[in-house]
Amino acid sequence: MARTVLKFGGTSVADLDRIAHVADIIAYRAGQGEKLAVIVSAMSGETNKLVGLARGAAGDAINGDHFDDEYDVVVSSGEQVTSGLLALSLRKRGLNARSWLGWQMAMKTREGHGSARIDGFEDSGLADAVDGGEIAVIAGFQGVTEAGRVATLGRGGSDTTAVAVAAALNAVQCDIYTDVDGVYTTDPRIVPQAQRLEKISYEEMLEMASLGAKVLQTRSVELAMNHRVPLRVLSSFTALGEDNPGTWVCSEEEIVEKQVVNGITYSRDEAKITIYGMADRPGTSARLFALMGREGVNVDMIVQANARGEGRANMVFTCTTADSAKAETVLTAQRTEIGFEKMDVARDVAKVSIIGVGMKSHTGVAETMFDALYQKNINIDVISTSEIKISVLIDADYTELAVRALHTAFDLDAQ
Ligand code: ADP
Ligand code: ASP
Ligand code: MG
C-alpha cells in the first residue's frame, strides 16, 4: 500500500480535544489502509512563547537573523511535546504509533541556525517502520546538523518537514491539514468573499507564499515543485466523513481553466530605503548592493532614477523590517564611501501583489490593477513585476482596502 504524509499545523493541535480529533482523522485514514507518516507543529502560540523566552534569555546574542544554536534547542521543544501527545492519543485508540524527533529520523540540515536548510535524510528505519504499519508521528520544524546540533527550519517550517519527508518516502501525496479548507484567492481573514481554489500551480503557490500568503512556507512549495510532490491543503476542522476536497497544488499542465489572476497577497513586513544624491557613475550600485549582501540584507524591489542635481541619482529599495535596521546602520556608517547626500527609511509601507499564470498571455493586467488602486485614491510608490506577478508598494494604512479593491477588480469575489 502507498505511503502518505499528513501534516497538522498549530491550531489543529492547539489542545487535547483538537489532538483527539486529529487522532480520529488519522485512525480513519489508517483504517483505509494508508501507510502514514504524520508531521506535527507545536500547539498554537507555543512557538511564539518559546521565541520570546529565548530572546529574553539571550538579550543581544540573538538579534535580527543571527541565531545562537541554543535558540533552536528552545524553540524546537514545542514539536516534541505534540509528537508525544499525538502518539499517546493514537495508542489509546489501539493503533501502533511512535514519535520521531528530527535527530531520530536523522533529517540532516546545514548550520544556519534559526532557518536551516534541509540536506537530506540518513537511513533510520523510518520507511521500514511506516511500511510495517507503524504510524510515524514526526516532530516538524527540527532537524540535526552534521555536528549533531538541533537546527530549526524557520517559522512555518513544519510544512517543509512534511514535504521533505514526503519526497524522501516517495509518498503518493502530502496532505497539509490546517485551519482553512484550502488555498483561497486571498487571505479569507481579511476578505470574506475570498474563494477556495480547487487547484493552483506550483509556480503560483510559490509566488503567493513568498509574497505573503502564510498558508504554506515558501520553501515547502519549492521542495514540492522540485520533487513533484502532489500537495494538498485541507481543513482539520471538518467532521469525519464530511466533504473536504481542499486545494491541490500541482503542475500547470493539470489545470485546464487558467485564470488571469488567481491570487492576491499582502505583506506588511516591508521597509523602503531611499538614498538621495548618489554619484551617477558606473560602480555605485554595485558597491551599494555588495555592501547589503555582505550584511545579509535581503533586497527585494529596486528603483533608480535621475536626481535633480547634475550627475546625481536617487535609489529606492525595499527589504524586510528586520533587515532595514541593519541596512540603516551600515549605510549611515558608509555614507562617504558610497557617496550619497541623505537617506530616508520608511517602515509604514506594505507590498500588495497579484499572481496568475494567465498573465503570461494576457495584456491589460497592469492597467486593471493600477486603475483599481487609483479608484480608491491609493498612491503607488514602487512597482515590480515578473512573468506571473505584479507587486506594488503602498502606504500600509491602505493594505486591506487595496487587497479588497483588487479582489473585486479581477472578478475574484464569491457570488
Ligand atoms: P498552520 O498553523 O496550520 O500552519 P497557518 O496559520 O500557518 O496554519 O496558515 C493558515 C492561515 O493562512 C489561515 O488561517 C489564513 O488566515 C492564512 N492565509 C493567508 N493567505 C491565505 C490564502 N490565500 N489562502 C488560505 N489561507 C491563507
Ligand atoms: N511551530 C513552528 C512555528 O510556529 C513551525 C510550524 O508551525 O510550522 O513557526
Ligand atoms: Mg503554517
Side-chain angles (χ1 to χ4, degrees):
M1 186 71 190
R3 300 169 184 156
T4 307
V5 169
L6 315 179
K7 180 253 169 180
F8 295 89
T11 40
S12 305
V13 292
D15 54 37
L16 291 179
D17 285 343
R18 300 269 8 125
I19 290 176
H21 182 62
V22 166
D24 288 340
I25 295 174
I26 296 168
Y28 173 81
R29 295 196 60 158
Q32 309 278 311
E34 289 180 297
K35 303 284 190 199
L36 299 171
V38 181
I39 284 78
V40 285
S41 288
M43 292 163 136
S44 73
E46 201 54 32
T47 309
N48 285 347
K49 199 171 93 193
L50 294 167
V51 169
L53 286 172
R55 287 191 185 277
D60 283 346
I62 297 173
N63 76 48
D65 293 337
H66 174 75
F67 293 100
D68 189 297
D69 56 359
E70 298 299 347
Y71 166 91
D72 303 64
V73 175
V74 176
V75 303
S76 64
S77 63
E79 274 71 10
Q80 171 162 346
V81 173
T82 39
S83 62
L85 291 174
L86 181 56
L88 284 170
S89 196
L90 290 166
R91 286 183 181 177
K92 186 172 139 194
R93 286 162 177 71
L95 294 161
N96 177 15
R98 75 154 265 203
S99 61
W100 291 78
L101 301 181
W103 63 269
Q104 291 172 324
M105 60 165 181
M107 190 178 84
K108 293 291 200 177
T109 72
R110 299 204 198 135
E111 291 295 327
H113 287 278
S115 59
R117 292 186 82 91
I118 300 170
D119 262 341
F121 291 81
E122 268 174 11
D123 188 15
S124 57
L126 175 70
D128 290 342
V130 170
D131 288 344
E134 183 185 276
I135 300 170
V137 185
I138 296 168
F141 186 47
Q142 51 173 265
V144 62
T145 66
E146 209 42 58
R149 301 291 291 161
V150 174
T152 53
L153 307 180
R155 299 308 305 269
S158 297
D159 296 331
T160 304
T161 307
V163 176
V165 169
L169 290 180
N170 209 1
V172 286
Q173 74 189 67
C174 179
D175 277 350
I176 306 284
Y177 281 93
T178 182
D179 58 1
V180 266
D181 63 351
V183 177
Y184 276 65
T185 45
T186 193
D187 189 347
R189 278 189 215 172
I190 73 161
V191 182
Q193 296 89 345
Q195 303 187 63
R196 180 176 56 82
L197 297 161
E198 224 175 278
K199 291 179 178 177
I200 182 165
S201 67
Y202 291 119
E203 289 79 3
E204 288 169 310
M205 193 63 236
L206 191 60
E207 290 281 14
M208 284 191 59
S210 69
L211 293 167
K214 72 166 209 169
V215 59
L216 288 173
Q217 198 198 36
T218 308
R219 259 190 240 157
S220 72
V221 186
E222 213 169 29
L223 259 187
M225 182 162 88
N226 292 341
H227 294 270
R228 297 283 136 179
V229 175
L231 192 61
R232 184 166 64 147
V233 175
L234 69 170
S235 171
S236 72
F237 283 71
T238 52
L240 283 184
E242 205 180 307
D243 196 31
N244 191 13
T247 299
W248 282 99
V249 185
C250 55
S251 64
E252 202 184 314
E253 299 81 62
E254 288 173 59
I255 302 172
V256 188
E257 286 270 334
K258 292 188 179 59
Q259 302 298 322
V260 179
V261 170
N262 244 335
I264 309 209
T265 60
Y266 63 93
S267 159
R268 290 194 180 91
D269 181 20
E270 306 285 331
K272 182 183 81 163
I273 299 182
T274 310
I275 297 179
Y276 296 96
M278 276 176 57
D280 191 11
R281 61 165 179 269
T284 317
S285 304
R287 215 162 20 200
L288 171 67
F289 291 111
L291 185 61
M292 294 298 101
R294 217 174 314 135
E295 293 298 316
V297 174
N298 206 340
V299 173
D300 181 18
M301 302 162 130
I302 302 176
V303 179
Q304 190 191 328
N306 284 336
R308 238 180 271 160
E310 183 73 18
R312 296 273 141 192
N314 295 340
M315 180 77 79
V316 177
F317 67 89
T318 66
C319 59
T320 62
T321 321
D323 280 357
S324 70
K326 263 190 289 183
E328 187 170 13
T329 310
V330 325
L331 285 170
T332 308
Q334 303 271 323
R335 190 164 78 91
T336 339
E337 284 76 7
I338 298 169
F340 63 88
E341 283 156 18
K342 67 173 183 143
M343 172 182 58
D344 180 53
V345 183
R347 297 190 175 90
D348 50 354
V349 291
K351 182 168 67 178
V352 174
S353 311
I354 60 171
I355 295 115
V357 282
M359 246 181 245
K360 289 184 201 171
S361 52
H362 278 77
T363 55
V365 182
E367 184 188 340
T368 306
M369 180 183 200
F370 301 156
D371 188 59
L373 297 173
Y374 163 62
Q375 297 299 332
K376 298 287 177 198
N377 224 349
I378 298 171
N379 191 47
I380 301 172
D381 219 348
V382 183
I383 302 169
S384 77
T385 64
S386 81
E387 218 182 7
I388 64 164
K389 72 116 203 269
I390 304 175
S391 300
V392 294
L393 197 73
I394 61 170
D395 184 331
D397 287 346
Y398 298 114
T399 313
E400 298 190 3
L401 181 65
V403 172
R404 286 200 203 101
L406 293 170
H407 201 264
T408 307
F410 286 101
D411 281 332
L412 296 173
D413 291 348
Q415 295 309 311

